[in-house]
Amino acid sequence: MNKRIGTALCTMTALAVVVAVPTAAQAADPFAGAFSTSAQNERVVLFFDTLDAPKGLKVILRRKGGTAPVATLTNFTPVSPQDACEPSCGDPLTHPLQAFVPKLAELGDYSVDVQYTGTMDETVLHKDRATLNYRVRPYFQNLKSANGVSLASPETVVSGDIKTYDPRTESTKPFTGTFTATTGTVTTPLATDAGGHFKSKIKVSGAAPSAGPGDDNTDVRFTAALAGITKDELLQVPVTPVQAHIALDSPTVTGPYGTETKVSGAVTWKAPDGTWQPVPAGALISLGRDGGNGTTDDAGRFTALGHFAGDAVWKGEGATPWLNTDKATVWVDSTTGVFVSDLRAEMDKERRVTVTGMVSWDDIPAALKWLRVDVQTSVDGKTGWTTRAVMNISSLLASRSPESAAKRIPDPGTGFVRLRYAGTPDVHGSVSPAIKIPQLVKTAVTEFDVGPEPVKRGQRITVSGKVTQANPTWKPYSGASVGYYFRPAGETAWKAVGSSTTTAGGNFSRSWIAGGSGSWKVRYWSFDTLHSNSPYSSEDEVVVSP
C-alpha cells in the first residue's frame, strides 16, 4: 500500500519500547565554517575547537580576485600565550594554530582559503576566509616616556623609533613622515626625523585608566600609516593620583527588588592652587557589584546604573589611577519584588524546547506561598505574547537566593521566548529579556510504502520511501539515517529491525524475508547538531499468507 504523507500531518507515535538505531555514516563538514581566521604581519592564525589540527589542513593564498594559488601553507604550530587575543578576544581561542607566510614575489592583497578533509575523506574548502595585506608596513620600537603624569602635571616627553618592513626582502628602513599620538579624545600629530626617530612633548588628556594590565598607568596610542597599512602601538605611562571628592546628587535610593536605579553625581579634584576642579572625562567611578559603574563626562559628572538586590550600602570610589577619592555612601532601600534573569532555551531532537532561568525575590508576604512564572512566546519578540507553560516556585525558599527554574514546552515554532512574573498589587513583577527560540532543521518521511501486498511467507518484502528536510525549503535529504520498525500481529511492542541511509534523492529502501504478518513504520534519526528527528511515518499493516 503506497502512502504519501503531508508534512503537516506527520505526528509522532509513542513507542512502547525505545530502541537505539545505529549511526549511519554521512559525509559532513566537521566544522561547517565554525572557525576563526586572521591574517596579518605575514602570518595566518586559525582556530578550530579541537586540540588537534583538522586532517589535511592547508591554507591557500590567491591574489585578490584571482583563481591561481600563489602559496600553500601546511606547517602549523600553536599560537604563543601572548597572542591569545588573535584574531579576537571575543573568540573562544583555546587552541589557535598559526602558519607563517613565505616570501611572495609581489606586494598586494591576497585571499586566504582554508582546506581540510571531511568526515568521509572528501575535500572541504572554505574560500575567502580572510585577506592578507602583503605590503610594506610600519612598526614601532623603543617607545618610552620621560616621566609620569597626573591631573596636576599632565605633560610628558615621549620618544621612540618607527621603521618600515618589506616582507619580500625582510629588510627595514627608517619611517619618515607624520604619525599621531592619542590620549583620551585628543589626537596630537607628530613627526619623525630622517632616521625615523622622534622625541616630543605631549599633554595627556582625560582621566581614563589603562586599557592594558596594571592599575597605575594610562595609555598613549601611537598610530602610523603606510600604503594602506595602519600600525597601532600602546605606551603605558605611569600615573600619580590626586586628591578627589565625589558629591552624590542623592545619598539614598529606593525601589523594588530586581529593578534598576541610577546613581549620579559630580567628581572634583584639588588643583595645586587649592581650588576644586571638575575631573576630566573618562574617570571610572565604581559603586560595587550591585551599584554598577559610571564614567565622568567633560563636566566631571557620572551616572551609574545600579540593581536593587536587597537593602545595602554602596560605597562609591574612583576606579582609576588618576584619583585618590574619598568614599561616597549610598543607602539602598530594596522593597518587595521578584527578579527573573539568566534566560536560556534549547531545542532537542524531538523539537521540544527546554526553557531555564533564575528567579530570586525579597520581602515576599507570608501569605504568598507560590510564585507563578509564565513561559511566554511571541513571533516578533515584542507583541502578541502567549503563555505556553507555567512554573510554580515556592516562595518559602531562602530569600534573595536565586533558584533555577526549568520547563519543557512543545515546539512553539519560530520566534522568541521570555519568562514573566506578572506580580501582584503588593509584589513588583519582572520580565526577562526575550531571546530567540533555537531551531533545528525539520525533517519528515514524505513517502512510505511496504510491498508487495499480499505476500507469502518466505518471499521478500521491501520497505521504501523518501526523507525530506526543510533547509530552508522542503527538499530531498541525502545521507539521512532511517530506522525500520516492525510490530508482529497481536503484539503491542515495536521492534527495531535495521537501518539504512538515503540516496542523493532522499530515497530509502530495505528488504526482509517475510516471516509473519504485522505492521511497519520508519523514522529518520538525527545524529548531528543541525537536524531534529522526523515524526514516525504512518503504519502499514502487511498480511503474510502461509
Side-chain angles (χ1 to χ4, degrees):
M1 181 186 304
N2 189 304
K3 300 190 177 181
R4 299 182 180 271
I5 309 165
T7 57
L9 300 178
C10 295
T11 56
M12 182 179 73
T13 304
L15 279 177
V17 179
V18 179
V19 183
V21 179
T23 303
Q26 301 182 40
D29 181 349
F31 299 99
F35 58 92
S36 299
T37 311
S38 170
Q40 61 180 354
N41 295 354
E42 299 80 57
R43 182 178 69 158
V44 176
V45 178
L46 304 172
F47 168 72
F48 299 87
D49 194 8
T50 176
L51 283 169
D52 301 317
K55 182 181 177 181
L57 179 61
K58 297 179 181 179
V59 166
I60 302 168
L61 302 180
R62 297 176 287 108
R63 290 285 295 189
K64 194 75 172 177
T67 57
V70 174
T72 300
L73 314 182
T74 57
N75 185 20
F76 296 90
T77 58
V79 175
S80 59
Q82 59 265 32
D83 292 330
C85 275
E86 187 178 339
S88 167
C89 286
D91 293 322
L93 299 183
T94 314
H95 307 289
L97 301 171
Q98 64 183 356
F100 292 96
V101 177
K103 293 179 183 180
L104 304 178
E106 298 180 32
L107 298 174
D109 293 339
Y110 290 82
S111 295
V112 177
D113 302 337
V114 179
Q115 179 179 306
Y116 48 83
T117 303
T119 58
M120 294 291 289
D121 290 330
E122 77 279 18
T123 297
V124 178
L125 177 64
H126 293 281
K127 302 187 71 173
D128 296 307
R129 289 293 304 183
T131 298
L132 172 68
N133 302 124
Y134 191 77
R135 302 176 185 273
V136 176
R137 55 182 171 84
Y139 66 98
F140 292 89
Q141 285 184 324
N142 308 317
L143 292 179
K144 298 177 183 178
S145 62
N147 56 275
V149 294
S150 71
L151 293 184
S153 180
E155 292 184 339
T156 185
V157 174
V158 293
S159 61
D161 299 283
I162 312 179
K163 295 184 180 296
T164 64
Y165 175 78
D166 189 333
R168 294 169 301 177
T169 60
E170 297 183 348
S171 60
T172 62
K173 293 181 180 180
F175 173 94
T176 56
T178 59
F179 64 102
T180 60
T182 302
T183 64
T185 59
V186 176
T187 297
T188 303
L190 302 174
T192 61
D193 60 22
H197 182 73
F198 69 90
K199 185 176 183 181
S200 305
K201 180 184 290 186
I202 64 170
K203 183 177 181 179
V204 178
S205 71
S210 170
D215 295 330
D216 300 326
N217 301 296
T218 191
D219 285 337
V220 178
R221 179 182 295 274
F222 295 95
T223 303
L226 178 67
I229 301 294
T230 299
K231 176 62 177 177
D232 289 326
E233 194 77 30
L234 294 180
L235 171 64
Q236 290 190 333
V237 179
V239 174
T240 300
V242 297
Q243 184 180 353
H245 173 69
I246 301 174
L248 299 173
D249 293 338
S250 173
T252 62
V253 290
T254 301
Y257 176 85
T259 60
E260 294 179 335
T261 184
K262 292 181 179 179
V263 177
S264 59
V267 188
T268 54
W269 68 282
K270 190 174 183 179
D273 62 4
T275 60
W276 290 86
Q277 306 291 333
V279 167
L284 185 65
I285 306 301
S286 173
L287 281 83
R289 183 187 65 180
D290 295 325
N293 300 321
T295 303
T296 57
D297 59 18
D298 291 332
R301 291 194 55 79
F302 74 93
T303 299
L305 191 63
H307 182 92
F308 287 106
D311 295 344
V313 176
W314 295 340
K315 295 291 186 179
E317 59 185 326
T320 171
W322 294 90
L323 307 178
N324 184 11
T325 61
D326 51 9
K327 283 187 169 62
T329 300
V330 182
W331 300 96
V332 181
D333 179 16
S334 181
T335 60
T336 301
V338 172
F339 183 48
V340 182
S341 62
D342 298 330
L343 177 62
R344 298 184 181 184
E346 184 178 57
M347 175 176 280
D348 65 18
K349 296 301 180 66
E350 302 295 342
R351 304 197 64 79
R352 299 169 299 192
V353 177
T354 299
V355 182
T356 60
M358 301 299 292
V359 182
S360 56
W361 57 89
D362 194 22
D363 291 337
I364 298 297
L368 186 62
K369 307 296 185 185
W370 297 92
L371 304 175
R372 170 182 164 140
V373 177
D374 299 323
V375 181
Q376 298 184 321
T377 62
S378 161
V379 174
D380 61 6
K382 300 175 182 178
T383 60
W385 289 99
T386 301
T387 297
R388 301 285 183 175
V390 173
M391 305 177 186
N392 288 306
I393 300 171
S394 172
S395 63
L396 301 180
L397 299 171
S399 177
R400 297 202 305 271
S401 177
E403 295 295 328
S404 177
K407 197 73 173 181
R408 190 167 67 185
I409 60 175
D411 180 12
T414 58
F416 296 80
V417 64
R418 73 179 187 183
L419 295 180
R420 182 195 68 160
Y421 173 68
T424 71
D426 300 320
V427 181
H428 191 274
S430 178
V431 180
S432 73
I435 62 173
K436 200 167 185 178
I437 300 170
Q439 292 292 320
L440 298 177
V441 176
K442 290 183 179 180
T443 60
V445 179
T446 51
E447 296 179 16
F448 176 55
D449 183 46
V450 183
E453 295 184 63
V455 63
K456 292 184 178 181
R457 188 184 304 275
Q459 290 184 331
R460 282 202 167 270
I461 188 169
T462 300
V463 181
S464 61
K466 186 173 187 177
V467 177
T468 58
Q469 60 173 331
N471 191 19
T473 57
W474 287 98
K475 58 187 178 183
Y477 185 11
S478 65
S481 179
V482 177
Y484 298 80
Y485 298 87
F486 179 70
R487 183 182 62 195
E491 298 186 12
T492 58
W494 290 89
K495 299 177 181 179
V497 293
S499 64
S500 69
T501 303
T502 59
T503 65
N507 299 303
F508 63 86
S509 177
R510 186 161 177 180
S511 298
W512 286 266
I513 299 297
S517 300
S519 298
W520 292 85
K521 66 181 178 180
V522 298
R523 189 185 198 190
Y524 159 71
W525 290 96
S526 172
F527 293 101
D528 60 33
T529 59
L530 302 177
H531 296 79
S532 57
N533 300 329
S534 76
Y536 285 95
S537 69
S538 60
E539 300 173 17
D540 195 348
E541 184 177 1
V542 177
V543 176
V544 177
S545 59

